[in-house]
Amino acid sequence: MQFNRNVFIHINPCLMVCAPLLSGSVPPYYREVYEAIRSKIEERVQVEVFQRLLSRTDLPTAVQGQIAEHVDYTDGFLSKLSLYKALALIALAQQGKQPSPKLLENCIQEFPKPQLGEFKDLQTLRMQPTQESPLTVPQTLGKLLARDTVQVELIPEKKGLFLKHVEYQITSQHFKISVYRRYSDFDVFHELLLQRFAYRMVPALPPKRMLKGVLTSMSERDFIEGRRRALGRFINLVARHPFFSEDELVKTFLTFNGSDVQVKMRDACKKMGDEFMTNTMATLAKDYLPADIQAQFSSSRELIRNIHNSFHKLRDRAEKMAERSKENATDLLMFGRELSTLGSDGSPIPSLASSQSTWGILRQSLKGLSVEFALLADKGAQQGRREEDDVVEKLNLFLDLLQSYRDLCERHEKGVLHEHQRALQKYGMMKRQMMSATVQPKEQVSVEQLESRIVQQENAIQTMELRNYFSLFCLHQETQLIFTYLPITSHILGAFVNSQVQGHQEMGAVWNDLQQKLGCLFGVDEMQSPPLTPK
């Protein structure tokens, strides 16, 4: 529901004729509503509170939107008079009338009372100026995408003493610097990210190489290009993550220009330790987790699994469409070449056909058509690249993120929870040994050692419990990020539609030119002749 900042220009004239609102004959109920929902620190009503109030009216969404359009607000607040006008419009709309400022011009009696439910519940709509929970990740898709954009480009292959290797130029818009990295640098960086942020979504790396003997030189180039794209998606997801982007490890990877970047990253990670050791919320996470965190986790995980499956199918279809566009481009090019070959045939025409045949003239005209078909092929190839770059690549980016969430869920279950259970089992075994030692006299030294081990194990279990709660805390935040990214669907659909519109317009223009050219070359009669076969 959007509020129009300029609506005051349209409402203002009717203020002169809204007698009940201006003369002081405001219904007492209006004043009571105002006092119930106005801000404690200002004599105004927050827009968010009014939106909640509007949703309680049971009016159709379209009608609520019309009322919202006629409400004047400034800096996110409604004045007292604006609220009164809104309440009047709500009441009139509930009577079945079309809400508009003109409706208020005829108001000469006291305004009707809107139906807003139990009055005692209105105060709950007020937004208290409380501190936001640290469990909440206040992000939007725009903010995440604006954090950084990292370009990953191939640089010419360099040959080592025995093997050639591929190097990448990494350029961060945020840090405004370019560095050079090899795949092994990405590999170490990924390993350290998992150590440092074991409870966060760390995207997977593409494979280093494919099986030898399987690749041809062309498919090897395709593999290298596919890996470059995947590395670009990986580093952009990392650079835009709110808990990764400003970390020293990420800064080192994106900015360090020395030759020993791997050593530098390992040193940085060793000094910091994992996130549990550095995050101030690590030992307090339990206090902020909702009571039904496990149920929320299960339902969110199932929903995200379904989303992942659907996006996977969308990506597969988009890939097929991009491939078909490329194949169509190849077919158009070959079609034009065959026409050119046909027109270049210099074989003499037999005398028995030469008297009536126009083939000699026609085939000369065919030579020039390969230009238009080559242009069509070029447009088709551009269409395929647009579909691949703008649609498939965006789908792959989101799929990489969704897969990293599924990997995180598995790490949580197989890592923290499993280790906690093993520690409890070990602790139980120690306690049984201790009970046995107290029943059967043993050396004092061995009993003391067992007591010491039990204390150590209790401390370890306590730490594991804290890690388990912190893991759930992080998982809850990462789930929020997935839903923050979901509006990328509109970006993908927009890119898909735009690529189709542009592609069809460009190819349509060439086809139209070709149609006109054919009309000139072969004559209008031939172009508009009846079909050769019955329909």
Side-chain angles (χ1 to χ4, degrees), residues 325-342 365-382 506-507 509-518 521-522 527:
S325 294
K326 294 178 182 178
E327 291 174 355
N328 184 47
T330 302
D331 290 339
L332 286 167
L333 184 63
M334 297 307 299
F335 192 92
R337 287 179 180 176
E338 289 301 326
L339 286 177
S340 180
T341 300
L342 187 62
S365 302
L366 295 177
K367 291 181 182 180
L369 296 182
S370 61
V371 175
E372 277 74 18
F373 279 95
L375 184 57
L376 283 169
D378 182 59
K379 297 298 183 183
Q382 290 179 25
E506 290 179 353
M507 294 194 72
V510 181
W511 282 118
N512 285 331
D513 291 343
L514 181 57
Q515 187 180 44
Q516 294 177 9
K517 185 174 182 179
L518 289 178
L521 292 176
F522 303 120
M527 290 293 296

Side-chain angles (χ1 to χ4, degrees), residues 259-288:
S259 58
D260 53 347
V261 63
Q262 296 184 18
V263 175
K264 189 77 172 176
M265 288 191 297
R266 291 187 190 279
D267 288 344
C269 196
K270 190 182 297 182
K271 290 177 183 177
M272 293 181 293
D274 74 340
E275 189 185 12
F276 180 79
M277 304 300 294
T278 58
N279 194 307
T280 56
M281 293 305 304
T283 58
L284 305 173
K286 181 181 179 181
D287 300 333
Y288 292 97

Side-chain angles (χ1 to χ4, degrees), residues 198-200 293-302 305 404-422 464 467-472 475:
Y199 312 126
R200 302 286 183 187
I293 181 64
Q294 291 292 353
Q296 289 189 31
F297 168 53
S298 297
S299 61
S300 296
R301 186 179 185 182
E302 181 62 26
R305 182 188 291 116
S404 70
Y405 179 82
R406 297 181 68 169
D407 294 342
L408 173 61
C409 292
E410 289 187 12
R411 284 203 306 276
H412 172 74
E413 291 184 337
K414 296 180 179 179
V416 180
L417 290 180
H418 184 64
E419 289 177 5
H420 189 207
Q421 291 170 355
R422 284 198 310 173
M464 287 180 184
R467 282 186 173 271
N468 180 43
Y469 286 123
F470 183 61
S471 177
L472 284 169
L475 194 51

Side-chain angles (χ1 to χ4, degrees), residues 221-237:
R221 286 197 294 270
D222 291 342
F223 168 73
I224 291 174
E225 170 60 17
R227 188 176 64 183
R228 180 195 69 81
R229 288 175 177 266
L231 290 174
R233 297 193 299 269
F234 162 79
I235 194 60
N236 274 286
L237 287 173

Side-chain angles (χ1 to χ4, degrees), residues 34 36 45 99 197-198 211 232 236-237 241 243 252 275 308 320 330 347 351 393 411 432 447 481 490 502:
Y34 166 73
V45 177
F197 297 100
L211 294 175
N236 274 286
L237 287 173
H241 193 288
F243 299 102
T252 301
E275 189 185 12
H308 182 269
K320 288 181 179 179
T330 302
S347 303
S351 57
E393 196 62 17
R411 284 203 306 276
R432 288 192 294 272
V447 174
L481 287 179
S490 62
Q502 184 176 352

Side-chain angles (χ1 to χ4, degrees), residues 44-58:
R44 295 189 296 173
V45 177
Q46 288 178 292
V47 167
E48 291 87 348
V49 176
F50 175 69
Q51 287 175 321
R52 295 179 185 181
L53 178 74
L54 200 53
S55 66
R56 290 168 57 91
T57 61
D58 295 328

Side-chain angles (χ1 to χ4, degrees), residues 27-44:
Y29 182 78
Y30 283 34
R31 296 191 179 92
E32 292 171 1
V33 172
Y34 166 73
E35 290 298 332
I37 68 173
R38 74 178 181 87
S39 171
K40 284 188 174 182
I41 57 177
E42 288 197 54
E43 293 187 349
R44 295 189 296 173

